[in-house]
Amino acid sequence: MPRGTTSNGLREYLLREAEEFRNSYGHIDPKVFAELSGPVQMLASGQPVQLRRYQLPDDHYARNAGQPHDVLILDAANVLHLEG
């Protein structure tokens, strides 16, 4: 099954990506780690998160449905919406 297309799959994918990014660059400084932990915490706790279309997995159905910099919201029910 394509990544990020199950009910919780997109949030799980985005969480893994955010954790990997934080772990790759957070060692630079404690403030950097803290800043990069914000998205991780929001995704892990199920809060709505804002993202750009280009952040979707390559095989996600909405990846090419608009412009790469479209602002999307993944809501608390894990439903993806175009902002606005």
Side-chain angles (χ1 to χ4, degrees):
M1 178 171 286
R3 298 173 297 163
T5 58
T6 62
S7 61
N8 292 323
L10 180 55
R11 183 173 294 275
E12 292 167 2
Y13 169 83
L14 294 170
L15 177 58
R16 282 192 309 274
E17 291 289 307
E19 288 172 332
E20 287 177 16
F21 190 76
R22 179 193 63 188
N23 295 340
S24 293
Y25 297 100
H27 65 86
I28 295 170
D29 184 274
K31 291 180 183 178
V32 172
F33 187 88
E35 186 68 27
L36 296 177
S37 292
V40 171
Q41 293 168 353
M42 290 176 70
L43 286 160
S45 66
Q47 295 178 45
V49 292
Q50 186 181 77
L51 63 140
R52 302 290 179 158
R53 193 176 298 278
Y54 67 81
Q55 293 174 280
L56 294 171
D58 291 339
D59 55 0
H60 192 277
Y61 65 90
R63 172 75 183 230
N64 297 313
Q67 297 300 314
H69 289 282
D70 285 346
V71 178
L72 307 172
I73 303 294
L74 182 65
D75 69 18
N78 294 326
V79 176
L80 193 61
H81 304 274
L82 182 62
E83 185 178 69

